[in-house]
Amino acid sequence: MPHAADNRTLKHGCIVMASGVGARFGGNKLMAELCGTPLVGHVVRATDGLFSRRVVVTRHADVAALCETLGAQVILHDEPCRNDTVRLGMEAMDGCDTVTFVQGDQPLIRPASIVALLRAAERDAAGAAKRDAAGRGVADVVGCDAVGAALADTAEDYAMGLDAVKCDVDAAAGCDAAESDVSGATKHDAVGCNAAESSVARIWRTSFDGVPGAPVLFPSWAFDELRSLPRGKGGGFVAKTHAECVRTIEVSSEWELFDVDTCDDLERLQTHVARCGSAGLPR
Protein backbone atom coordinates (compact mmCIF):
# COMPACT_ATOMS: atom_id res chain seq x y z
CA MET A 1 0.00 0.00 0.00
CA PRO A 2 1.50 3.40 -0.93
CA HIS A 3 2.13 5.87 1.85
CA ALA A 4 -0.51 8.60 1.76
CA ALA A 5 2.14 11.24 2.41
CA ASP A 6 3.55 10.58 -1.08
CA ASN A 7 0.48 12.20 -2.66
CA ARG A 8 0.10 15.41 -0.68
CA THR A 9 0.88 19.06 -0.96
CA LEU A 10 1.11 19.42 2.85
CA LYS A 11 3.20 17.56 5.39
CA HIS A 12 0.82 16.19 8.03
CA GLY A 13 1.81 15.20 11.55
CA CYS A 14 -0.04 13.16 14.17
CA ILE A 15 0.20 13.08 17.95
CA VAL A 16 -1.49 10.14 19.68
CA MET A 17 -2.36 11.28 23.18
CA ALA A 18 -1.71 8.28 25.45
CA SER A 19 -0.64 9.74 28.80
CA GLY A 20 -3.82 9.51 30.86
CA VAL A 21 -3.42 7.90 34.26
CA GLY A 22 -6.85 6.23 34.07
CA ALA A 23 -7.98 7.38 37.51
CA ARG A 24 -11.66 6.77 36.75
CA PHE A 25 -10.84 3.45 35.10
CA GLY A 26 -8.81 2.23 38.04
CA GLY A 27 -5.58 1.80 36.11
CA ASN A 28 -4.04 2.05 32.66
CA LYS A 29 -7.11 1.88 30.44
CA LEU A 30 -5.08 2.10 27.23
CA MET A 31 -3.93 -1.50 27.59
CA ALA A 32 -7.46 -2.78 28.25
CA GLU A 33 -8.47 -5.04 25.38
CA LEU A 34 -11.21 -4.78 22.80
CA CYS A 35 -11.46 -7.81 20.53
CA GLY A 36 -8.10 -9.04 21.74
CA THR A 37 -6.22 -5.80 21.02
CA PRO A 38 -5.41 -3.03 23.51
CA LEU A 39 -7.43 0.15 22.99
CA VAL A 40 -4.38 2.18 22.02
CA GLY A 41 -3.40 -0.52 19.52
CA HIS A 42 -6.61 0.04 17.58
CA VAL A 43 -5.88 3.77 17.47
CA VAL A 44 -2.31 3.29 16.25
CA ARG A 45 -3.53 0.97 13.50
CA ALA A 46 -6.15 3.55 12.45
CA THR A 47 -3.39 6.11 11.87
CA ASP A 48 -1.03 3.81 9.97
CA GLY A 49 0.20 5.22 6.66
CA LEU A 50 -1.73 8.48 6.93
CA PHE A 51 0.93 10.88 8.22
CA SER A 52 4.41 12.08 7.38
CA ARG A 53 5.23 12.12 11.10
CA ARG A 54 3.47 10.29 13.91
CA VAL A 55 4.34 10.03 17.58
CA VAL A 56 2.67 8.38 20.55
CA VAL A 57 3.21 10.38 23.74
CA THR A 58 2.79 8.28 26.88
CA ARG A 59 3.91 7.90 30.47
CA HIS A 60 3.23 4.14 30.41
CA ALA A 61 6.12 1.77 29.63
CA ASP A 62 3.76 -1.00 28.47
CA VAL A 63 2.00 1.37 26.07
CA ALA A 64 5.38 2.51 24.75
CA ALA A 65 6.52 -1.08 24.17
CA LEU A 66 3.30 -2.02 22.36
CA CYS A 67 3.32 1.03 20.11
CA GLU A 68 6.95 0.51 19.18
CA THR A 69 6.13 -3.05 18.09
CA LEU A 70 3.38 -1.54 15.92
CA GLY A 71 5.92 0.71 14.22
CA ALA A 72 5.08 3.98 15.92
CA GLN A 73 7.59 6.49 17.24
CA VAL A 74 7.13 6.88 20.99
CA ILE A 75 7.95 9.57 23.56
CA LEU A 76 7.98 8.05 27.05
CA HIS A 77 7.87 10.70 29.76
CA ASP A 78 6.98 11.41 33.36
CA GLU A 79 5.62 14.95 33.00
CA PRO A 80 2.51 15.64 35.10
CA CYS A 81 0.08 17.62 32.93
CA ARG A 82 -1.82 17.50 29.66
CA ASN A 83 -0.07 20.58 28.32
CA ASP A 84 3.23 18.75 28.86
CA THR A 85 2.02 15.88 26.68
CA VAL A 86 1.04 18.32 23.93
CA ARG A 87 4.35 20.17 24.14
CA LEU A 88 6.40 16.98 23.97
CA GLY A 89 4.44 15.80 20.95
CA MET A 90 4.83 19.14 19.21
CA GLU A 91 8.61 18.91 19.64
CA ALA A 92 8.51 15.92 17.28
CA MET A 93 6.48 17.74 14.61
CA ASP A 94 9.25 19.83 13.04
CA GLY A 95 8.56 20.57 9.39
CA CYS A 96 4.86 19.68 9.54
CA ASP A 97 2.17 21.93 8.07
CA THR A 98 -0.62 20.44 10.17
CA VAL A 99 -0.83 18.37 13.34
CA THR A 100 -3.74 16.08 14.16
CA PHE A 101 -4.36 15.07 17.76
CA VAL A 102 -5.83 11.58 18.14
CA GLN A 103 -6.96 10.21 21.50
CA GLY A 104 -5.55 6.86 22.55
CA ASP A 105 -8.85 5.75 24.11
CA GLN A 106 -11.07 6.01 20.99
CA PRO A 107 -10.60 2.54 19.47
CA LEU A 108 -13.39 2.80 16.88
CA ILE A 109 -12.10 5.88 15.10
CA ARG A 110 -11.91 5.13 11.38
CA PRO A 111 -9.03 5.91 9.04
CA ALA A 112 -11.53 7.43 6.59
CA SER A 113 -12.61 10.00 9.17
CA ILE A 114 -9.02 11.01 9.83
CA VAL A 115 -8.42 11.24 6.08
CA ALA A 116 -11.43 13.56 5.80
CA LEU A 117 -9.68 16.00 8.14
CA LEU A 118 -6.50 15.84 6.04
CA ARG A 119 -8.43 16.38 2.83
CA ALA A 120 -10.11 19.44 4.34
CA ALA A 121 -6.71 20.91 5.21
CA GLU A 122 -5.50 20.18 1.68
CA ARG A 123 -8.52 22.01 0.26
CA ASP A 124 -7.76 25.00 2.50
CA ALA A 125 -4.19 25.07 1.19
CA ALA A 126 -5.30 24.75 -2.43
CA GLY A 127 -7.85 27.52 -1.99
CA ALA A 128 -5.24 29.82 -0.45
CA ALA A 129 -2.83 29.07 -3.30
CA LYS A 130 -5.48 29.88 -5.90
CA ARG A 131 -6.28 33.18 -4.19
CA ASP A 132 -2.60 34.04 -4.03
CA ALA A 133 -2.19 33.17 -7.68
CA ALA A 134 -5.20 35.25 -8.65
CA GLY A 135 -3.72 38.17 -6.76
CA ARG A 136 -0.51 37.83 -8.78
CA GLY A 137 -2.46 37.56 -12.03
CA VAL A 138 -1.72 33.85 -12.48
CA ALA A 139 -4.51 32.05 -14.31
CA ASP A 140 -4.84 29.05 -12.01
CA VAL A 141 -3.12 26.72 -9.59
CA VAL A 142 -3.51 22.96 -9.64
CA GLY A 143 -6.02 22.01 -6.92
CA CYS A 144 -6.04 19.17 -4.47
CA ASP A 145 -8.73 16.90 -5.94
CA ALA A 146 -6.13 14.32 -6.96
CA VAL A 147 -4.56 14.53 -3.52
CA GLY A 148 -7.91 14.01 -1.84
CA ALA A 149 -8.64 11.05 -4.07
CA ALA A 150 -5.30 9.48 -3.23
CA LEU A 151 -5.93 9.95 0.48
CA ALA A 152 -9.37 8.42 0.20
CA ASP A 153 -7.92 5.44 -1.70
CA THR A 154 -5.33 4.96 1.04
CA ALA A 155 -8.01 4.91 3.73
CA GLU A 156 -10.11 2.47 1.70
CA ASP A 157 -7.13 0.16 1.19
CA TYR A 158 -6.42 0.27 4.90
CA ALA A 159 -10.02 -0.45 5.84
CA MET A 160 -10.02 -3.51 3.58
CA GLY A 161 -7.12 -4.88 5.60
CA LEU A 162 -8.95 -4.93 8.90
CA ASP A 163 -9.88 -8.57 8.42
CA ALA A 164 -6.74 -9.40 10.38
CA VAL A 165 -8.44 -8.09 13.50
CA LYS A 166 -10.42 -10.74 15.38
CA CYS A 167 -13.68 -8.82 15.11
CA ASP A 168 -14.91 -6.22 12.68
CA VAL A 169 -14.20 -3.10 14.71
CA ASP A 170 -14.56 -0.89 11.65
CA ALA A 171 -18.09 -2.10 11.02
CA ALA A 172 -18.93 -1.78 14.68
CA ALA A 173 -18.02 1.88 14.50
CA GLY A 174 -21.14 2.16 12.36
CA CYS A 175 -19.40 3.53 9.27
CA ASP A 176 -19.62 1.52 6.07
CA ALA A 177 -17.10 3.27 3.79
CA ALA A 178 -19.53 2.97 0.88
CA GLU A 179 -22.30 4.71 2.81
CA SER A 180 -20.41 7.26 4.88
CA ASP A 181 -20.14 10.86 3.71
CA VAL A 182 -17.12 11.77 5.80
CA SER A 183 -14.60 11.42 2.95
CA GLY A 184 -15.96 14.43 1.14
CA ALA A 185 -18.77 16.20 2.94
CA THR A 186 -18.23 18.71 5.70
CA LYS A 187 -20.51 20.29 8.22
CA HIS A 188 -19.52 23.84 9.03
CA ASP A 189 -19.89 25.57 12.37
CA ALA A 190 -22.22 28.53 12.41
CA VAL A 191 -19.47 31.00 13.25
CA GLY A 192 -16.78 32.86 11.30
CA CYS A 193 -13.98 31.97 8.90
CA ASN A 194 -15.94 31.59 5.67
CA ALA A 195 -13.83 29.57 3.27
CA ALA A 196 -14.55 31.90 0.37
CA GLU A 197 -13.70 35.05 2.31
CA SER A 198 -10.67 34.21 4.45
CA SER A 199 -7.20 32.94 3.71
CA VAL A 200 -6.75 31.58 7.23
CA ALA A 201 -6.29 27.80 7.36
CA ARG A 202 -9.00 26.19 9.48
CA ILE A 203 -8.93 24.08 12.60
CA TRP A 204 -10.76 20.92 11.59
CA ARG A 205 -12.35 18.53 14.05
CA THR A 206 -14.66 15.54 13.89
CA SER A 207 -18.19 15.73 15.23
CA PHE A 208 -21.31 13.65 15.54
CA ASP A 209 -24.81 15.12 15.47
CA GLY A 210 -23.28 18.57 15.65
CA VAL A 211 -21.29 17.89 18.82
CA PRO A 212 -17.55 18.38 18.19
CA GLY A 213 -15.00 15.89 19.42
CA ALA A 214 -11.61 14.41 18.58
CA PRO A 215 -9.54 13.88 16.44
CA VAL A 216 -8.68 17.55 15.83
CA LEU A 217 -6.40 18.95 13.12
CA PHE A 218 -4.50 22.20 13.69
CA PRO A 219 -2.77 24.26 10.98
CA SER A 220 0.70 25.69 11.50
CA TRP A 221 -0.43 29.11 12.74
CA ALA A 222 -1.67 27.38 15.93
CA PHE A 223 1.62 25.59 16.70
CA ASP A 224 3.14 28.24 18.96
CA GLU A 225 0.00 28.30 21.08
CA LEU A 226 -0.01 24.52 21.32
CA ARG A 227 3.59 24.57 22.52
CA SER A 228 2.80 27.09 25.27
CA LEU A 229 -0.58 25.99 26.64
CA PRO A 230 -1.63 26.94 30.16
CA ARG A 231 -0.96 24.30 32.77
CA GLY A 232 -3.38 21.38 32.49
CA LYS A 233 -4.88 22.48 29.17
CA GLY A 234 -4.93 20.62 25.88
CA GLY A 235 -5.56 21.44 22.25
CA GLY A 236 -9.21 22.17 22.98
CA PHE A 237 -8.09 25.37 24.67
CA VAL A 238 -6.69 26.66 21.35
CA ALA A 239 -9.79 25.52 19.44
CA LYS A 240 -12.05 27.43 21.86
CA THR A 241 -9.83 30.51 21.70
CA HIS A 242 -10.19 30.54 17.91
CA ALA A 243 -13.75 29.26 17.65
CA GLU A 244 -14.37 31.43 14.57
CA CYS A 245 -11.80 29.35 12.68
CA VAL A 246 -13.12 25.92 13.67
CA ARG A 247 -14.89 23.70 11.18
CA THR A 248 -16.30 20.24 11.78
CA ILE A 249 -16.64 17.07 9.73
CA GLU A 250 -19.45 14.74 10.67
CA VAL A 251 -18.72 11.07 11.24
CA SER A 252 -21.54 8.64 10.66
CA SER A 253 -21.67 7.01 14.09
CA GLU A 254 -21.32 8.20 17.67
CA TRP A 255 -19.20 5.11 18.38
CA GLU A 256 -16.29 6.47 16.38
CA LEU A 257 -15.88 9.29 18.89
CA PHE A 258 -16.69 7.17 21.94
CA ASP A 259 -13.83 7.33 24.43
CA VAL A 260 -13.28 4.91 27.28
CA ASP A 261 -13.03 6.61 30.67
CA THR A 262 -14.45 3.96 32.99
CA CYS A 263 -14.84 0.19 33.17
CA ASP A 264 -18.52 0.69 32.40
CA ASP A 265 -17.56 2.52 29.22
CA LEU A 266 -15.40 -0.41 28.13
CA GLU A 267 -18.23 -2.84 28.87
CA ARG A 268 -20.61 -0.74 26.76
CA LEU A 269 -18.12 -0.74 23.92
CA GLN A 270 -17.55 -4.49 24.14
CA THR A 271 -21.30 -5.09 24.14
CA HIS A 272 -21.75 -2.82 21.14
CA VAL A 273 -19.01 -4.52 19.14
CA ALA A 274 -20.34 -7.98 20.01
CA ARG A 275 -23.85 -6.96 18.96
CA CYS A 276 -22.92 -5.21 15.73
CA GLY A 277 -19.94 -7.17 14.53
CA SER A 278 -19.98 -7.01 10.74
CA ALA A 279 -23.75 -6.61 10.56
CA GLY A 280 -23.40 -2.96 9.51
CA LEU A 281 -24.66 0.23 11.01
CA PRO A 282 -25.68 0.10 14.70
CA ARG A 283 -29.26 0.90 15.63
Side-chain angles (χ1 to χ4, degrees):
M1 181 179 68
H3 196 292
D6 295 337
N7 302 297
R8 299 180 187 167
T9 60
L10 299 178
K11 186 174 182 179
H12 299 289
C14 174
I15 299 173
V16 178
M17 301 285 283
S19 293
V21 296
R24 295 172 59 192
F25 192 83
N28 180 11
K29 63 182 177 180
L30 299 172
M31 293 299 291
E33 292 190 356
L34 178 69
C35 300
T37 298
L39 300 181
V40 70
H42 288 290
V43 176
V44 170
R45 287 175 175 172
T47 61
D48 275 345
L50 300 182
F51 295 94
S52 299
R53 290 180 181 270
R54 178 185 62 176
V55 64
V56 178
V57 186
T58 185
R59 58 169 55 92
H60 305 290
D62 50 357
V63 170
L66 170 68
C67 293
E68 286 176 344
T69 65
L70 295 175
Q73 177 186 352
V74 174
I75 296 175
L76 181 62
H77 69 97
D78 59 0
E79 299 286 349
C81 297
R82 189 171 183 82
N83 61 293
D84 296 315
T85 302
V86 174
R87 174 178 50 79
L88 290 170
M90 290 301 299
E91 290 176 356
M93 295 293 110
D94 286 349
C96 290
D97 300 300
T98 77
V99 170
T100 300
F101 288 85
V102 182
Q103 304 303 312
D105 60 357
Q106 289 182 237
L108 297 189
I109 189 65
R110 293 181 64 242
S113 296
I114 299 172
V115 165
L117 298 176
L118 305 183
R119 293 183 71 194
E122 294 283 347
R123 287 193 296 270
D124 279 352
K130 287 181 180 180
R131 287 190 293 273
D132 289 345
R136 295 193 307 269
V138 179
D140 197 6
V141 174
V142 177
C144 66
D145 290 343
V147 174
L151 289 170
D153 289 344
T154 299
E156 183 178 356
D157 290 344
Y158 175 89
M160 290 173 65
L162 289 180
D163 291 340
V165 182
K166 290 184 180 179
C167 65
D168 195 338
V169 175
D170 190 47
C175 297
D176 186 330
E179 299 179 17
S180 174
D181 63 355
V182 297
S183 62
T186 63
K187 181 174 181 178
H188 285 191
D189 290 351
V191 293
C193 274
N194 186 285
E197 298 174 356
S198 174
S199 61
V200 176
R202 310 303 187 268
I203 297 170
W204 288 94
R205 65 188 307 175
T206 51
S207 66
F208 179 74
D209 200 20
V211 179
V216 186
L217 178 149
F218 291 91
S220 59
W221 59 258
F223 289 3
D224 285 344
E225 294 180 50
L226 290 167
R227 296 186 187 103
S228 57
L229 287 165
R231 183 178 176 84
K233 299 295 185 180
F237 179 85
V238 176
K240 289 178 182 178
T241 300
H242 301 283
E244 74 282 358
C245 290
V246 174
R247 291 292 179 273
T248 58
I249 291 178
E250 284 280 294
V251 300
S252 63
S253 168
E254 63 181 316
W255 294 102
E256 277 202 72
L257 308 188
F258 187 87
D259 59 321
V260 176
D261 288 327
T262 67
C263 291
D264 287 343
D265 289 340
L266 180 59
E267 185 175 347
R268 284 183 61 197
L269 202 59
Q270 291 169 332
T271 299
H272 167 73
V273 171
R275 182 176 67 249
C276 293
S278 59
L281 299 173
R283 302 298 181 220

